[in-house]
Amino acid sequence: MLAATEKALEAEMNRLKLAVKTLQGEDKSEEIYIGSYLLARLEELGVTSMFGVPGDFNLGFLDLVEDHPTIDWVGNCNELNASYAADGYARVKQGSVGVLLTTFGVGELSAMNGMAGAFSEMVPMVHIAGVPSLRQQATKPMLHHTLGDGRFDAYIKAAEQFTYSQAILTNTVSAGAEIDRVLSDCVIKGRPVYITLPTDLAYAKISSDRLKIPLPRHPSPNNADVESFVIDEIVKQIAEADGDVVVIADACAIRHDAIDELKDLLYKTGYPVYCAPMGKSAIDETYERYGGIYVGSISRPEIKEKVESAKLILSIGSLKSDFNSGNFTYSIPTTRTIELHSHWTNIKYAEFPNIGMKQLLPKLTARLEGGKAKALQLEVPRFDAHVPQETDDIISQAWFWPRMSKFFEPKDVVIAETGTSSFGILDVPLPKDSVFLSQILWGSIGWTVGSTLGAALAAKDCNLNRTILFVGDGSLQLTVQELSTMLRKGLKPIIFVLNNSGYTIERFLHGKERKYNDIVNWKWTGLLEVLGDLDGTLSKSYTVNNKSELTELLENPKFAAAEVLQLVEVMMPKHDAPRALQVQAELSGKTNQYAL
């Protein structure tokens, strides 16, 4: 495998080759539909599933998608769910992108919340919007799906707020270059991008010549002189700390493809490592030098003490949002912190733009591995889950999560909904090679359901194990329709529905006894028949009312084998919540205090 710097140089060469192609003009001897060109580039990026909803402005392009030999049209119940599915797909299938197809106006606006979440959490997604023909855009008739006032660019302006770059296709001359530009942006920046595909351009022909040059997929090389200075300075700071260094890994190490480089650093230096909540599963949680989740004042006491007493913190890919930092309660001064990011590096108060971690980390590792013996002297608390011995048979949050940790297997994909699930699972370890998904920064409830669909499809591509979703009854009601798509596609996730009669996270934030945090209770075990399993062969549903029933189910080998889609309704107390959620809610309550 090429080193990070060599990959960056190769990408730079491809960028230059494509720029020359644009200047030279293209050979017309081998032509291809613009729609087919776009699909060829998506195939190059490893895309095998496309999500979305058909509409009259994308139907022609959909013919090309449906006939494509390797890209499968999934089809969703609505565009919001489709955007969530593309998000989940991209998170699991590292190095690829999630792809969403909508129709003009009504479809793309429905998907916009999902695109905003992907932008916020740095997920590479491609939003393709089928739009009216170029002639219609020029003459501006009062078409359906328009605002009736001739503003055909209103949706483009909306998309600009939530995507890194946009390709507004208007002709055959620049179409290929524009598609290449935004797809490269998507992969390199780890952000969603937006492409409009007019009905009369989908089948317009352009040269296929550019397809011979691979898309640039890596950022430009770091400036060698500045990078060398930065590495010297980091090594100096570590020496002054006498090797008392703790690493905190976070989401951007995952999003910007620096996991292999990070792991190499850790294994060769022996530094203790902890993760922020958004970085959970970035590090093998069975690794003996892994200490657990650091989330400021919410952290377990032994984790908080080890992290905050270190002389130097090496922060890799940090995203210090409120829920990712214990409501901004990191007790680590800037004078003891070095931050490595995707496109810049901070050493204490000094910032070095355009010095990215992927290329810097291997060179830093080579300079530091000689100090491993000293690093191994630093004690790391064992990150374990202890099932409490409670006297009653009620399924409490304190008991549920450590008990669930015994059920997980290597290579499981575990998805936790915003709220009790995302907080409850923080204190329990996952097995080796597990993948954890949660939307901690954007926090759109219901995101996990669509995301589970995309994650399960990506897990098949990546030869991962089971897909397991934890979702509250309130959250599931927002996006429940996508369970029918999972059934139609033959997917077999295990879905634990935490039935605690409403929005528990909201109750702890405000309005504990208010009616607005209540929901109508559904017959959860009858849901899958309604949503497509008409003869009961594609799924099984269960209700567990107490610890004994849940334990019996978890220890059933047939259940654990996940041979069909399974839904488990878990009956839990209305006013119970995980420890971390209760502390976070108390902190947030003080920050968001309402004036009375």
Side-chain angles (χ1 to χ4, degrees):
M1 187 168 66
L2 290 173
T5 300
E6 291 173 304
K7 287 181 178 179
L9 289 170
E10 183 181 59
E12 196 71 7
M13 288 178 60
N14 289 333
R15 259 188 286 274
L16 292 171
K17 289 178 182 178
L18 288 170
V20 169
K21 280 283 182 194
T22 302
L23 292 171
Q24 287 177 338
E26 296 173 341
D27 178 8
K28 294 289 186 179
S29 58
E30 293 184 46
E31 292 192 326
I32 188 173
Y33 296 137
I34 290 176
S36 298
Y37 183 98
L38 174 55
L39 291 173
R41 283 305 198 191
L42 294 175
E43 183 181 21
E44 180 187 328
L45 293 176
V47 173
T48 58
S49 296
M50 183 183 293
F51 305 93
V53 178
D56 55 349
F57 293 111
N58 66 30
L59 294 175
F61 175 61
L62 260 175
D63 288 342
L64 297 175
V65 177
E66 189 167 306
D67 294 340
H68 195 277
T70 62
I71 298 177
D72 178 51
W73 171 249
V74 176
N76 297 86
C77 297
N78 62 56
E79 291 87 358
L80 176 61
N81 290 351
S83 65
Y84 291 164
D87 183 319
Y89 180 93
R91 291 184 194 230
V92 172
K93 196 167 183 179
Q94 293 292 306
S96 188
V97 298
V99 183
L100 165 70
L101 175 66
T102 70
T103 196
F104 176 63
V106 292
E108 52 188 312
L109 291 183
S110 292
M112 204 67 74
N113 177 49
M115 297 304 296
F119 187 93
S120 172
E121 301 224 345
M122 286 183 285
V123 179
M125 284 173 56
V126 180
H127 181 182
I128 305 166
V131 300
S133 69
L134 296 175
R135 180 178 175 277
Q136 288 173 320
Q137 291 183 49
T139 58
K140 296 180 172 51
M142 194 177 290
L143 287 180
H144 61 290
H145 300 341
T146 69
L147 299 170
D149 61 0
R151 287 185 295 146
F152 276 53
D153 64 344
Y155 316 128
I156 294 171
K157 289 179 178 178
E160 287 174 348
Q161 310 307 310
F162 308 114
T163 53
Y164 178 81
S165 60
Q166 306 80 36
I168 312 305
L169 302 186
T170 58
N171 59 70
T172 58
V173 176
S174 63
E178 283 294 280
I179 290 169
D180 291 352
R181 175 180 62 83
V182 296
L183 292 184
S184 289
D185 284 348
C186 183
V187 176
I188 293 169
K189 298 297 183 182
R191 301 273 192 179
V193 297
Y194 174 78
I195 300 172
T196 62
L197 186 58
T199 54
D200 54 348
L201 280 188
Y203 284 84
K205 288 192 171 183
I206 60 173
S207 170
S208 62
D209 206 33
R210 296 176 64 92
L211 294 175
K212 298 172 185 175
I213 304 171
L215 284 172
R217 300 175 65 172
H218 300 277
S220 299
N222 292 341
N223 180 290
D225 291 338
V226 178
E227 183 181 63
S228 178
F229 175 84
V230 166
I231 291 171
D232 286 345
E233 189 61 29
I234 294 173
V235 171
K236 175 185 170 186
Q237 296 294 330
I238 289 173
E240 290 178 358
D242 197 26
D244 185 3
V245 179
V246 161
V247 176
I248 299 178
D250 207 345
C252 291
I254 303 171
R255 304 287 195 271
H256 293 283
D257 189 30
I259 288 297
D260 290 342
E261 291 79 6
L262 170 60
K263 290 178 178 177
D264 195 49
L265 170 77
L266 295 171
Y267 298 153
K268 288 181 177 177
T269 63
Y271 293 143
V273 58
Y274 301 82
C275 284
M278 289 179 71
K280 186 173 175 65
S281 81
I283 306 302
D284 173 8
E285 298 193 343
T286 65
Y287 173 48
E288 64 272 14
R289 303 296 289 166
Y290 175 71
I293 300 294
Y294 176 70
V295 57
S297 64
I298 296 177
S299 311
R300 288 184 183 180
E302 69 275 16
I303 294 173
K304 187 174 187 296
E305 190 277 328
K306 290 294 182 184
V307 172
E308 295 178 1
S309 65
K311 290 181 181 176
L312 190 67
I313 300 296
L314 188 57
S315 173
I316 314 291
S318 173
L319 258 177
K320 294 178 184 174
S321 69
D322 51 357
F323 281 14
N324 202 40
S325 66
N327 220 54
F328 313 113
T329 57
Y330 272 29
S331 294
I332 306 168
T334 304
T335 53
R336 288 196 283 127
T337 304
I338 294 170
E339 295 187 7
L340 306 186
H341 293 276
S342 56
H343 298 89
W344 74 97
T345 299
N346 288 351
I347 301 178
K348 299 185 176 179
Y349 289 102
E351 181 173 332
F352 300 89
N354 303 315
I355 301 297
M357 61 184 166
K358 185 171 179 65
Q359 297 166 48
L360 183 146
L361 277 169
K363 298 165 191 173
L364 181 62
T365 300
R367 294 280 301 276
L368 295 176
E369 56 185 313
K372 184 172 183 177
K374 183 173 288 187
L376 291 177
Q377 295 175 15
L378 299 171
E379 182 188 357
V380 180
R382 183 70 181 167
F383 184 49
D384 283 325
H386 300 286
V387 181
Q389 298 300 310
E390 297 179 342
T391 56
D392 58 47
D393 210 19
I394 295 170
I395 302 175
S396 66
Q397 296 280 345
W399 179 89
F400 178 76
W401 295 105
R403 178 61 188 85
M404 285 307 312
S405 74
K406 313 300 181 187
F407 176 72
F408 297 140
E409 298 174 359
K411 291 191 173 184
D412 278 347
V413 177
V414 180
I415 306 165
E417 179 62 68
T418 296
T420 55
S421 299
S422 62
F423 282 95
I425 205 164
L426 292 182
D427 282 339
V428 301
L430 300 177
K432 184 176 176 61
D433 297 324
S434 297
V435 177
F436 175 70
L437 306 187
S438 188
Q439 200 188 52
I440 290 172
L441 175 53
W442 186 243
S444 182
I445 65 170
W447 167 83
T448 58
V449 185
S451 186
T452 296
L453 167 65
L457 289 167
K460 289 174 66 175
D461 288 353
C462 300
N463 296 312
L464 295 171
N465 196 12
R466 307 170 302 181
T467 301
I468 302 172
L469 166 63
F470 295 96
V471 60
D473 50 349
S475 296
L476 182 53
Q477 289 190 2
L478 271 76
T479 49
V480 69
Q481 312 96 312
E482 229 49 50
L483 297 182
S484 67
T485 311
M486 297 178 204
L487 289 167
R488 177 166 53 82
K489 301 303 292 185
L491 301 174
K492 303 167 185 177
I494 302 174
I495 300 168
F496 291 93
V497 182
L498 311 188
N499 188 340
N500 46 19
S501 305
Y503 303 120
T504 297
I505 185 171
E506 310 290 11
R507 293 191 200 283
F508 277 84
L509 289 169
H510 186 81
K512 203 164 195 175
E513 302 292 345
R514 290 288 186 174
K515 289 185 290 185
Y516 50 65
N517 284 325
D518 297 336
I519 63 169
V520 174
N521 191 38
W522 289 3
K523 186 178 180 182
W524 296 105
T525 53
L527 196 61
L528 295 175
E529 179 184 355
V530 173
L531 293 177
D533 186 13
L534 303 183
D535 60 3
T537 60
L538 302 176
S539 67
K540 287 189 178 297
S541 296
Y542 312 84
T543 297
V544 291
N545 296 284
N546 50 54
K547 292 184 176 78
S548 303
E549 292 177 1
L550 178 58
T551 299
E552 182 181 357
L553 182 63
L554 296 179
E555 293 177 353
N556 184 326
K558 193 170 181 63
F559 173 77
E563 296 170 348
V564 295
L565 190 155
Q566 297 176 106
L567 183 148
V568 183
E569 179 185 20
V570 184
M571 305 305 296
M572 306 184 85
K574 182 176 181 179
H575 290 126
D576 188 21
R579 176 199 64 83
L581 173 55
Q582 294 186 46
V583 178
Q584 176 67 58
E586 183 179 349
L587 292 170
S588 296
K590 292 175 182 176
T591 304
N592 302 329
Q593 183 70 48
Y594 288 91
L596 297 176

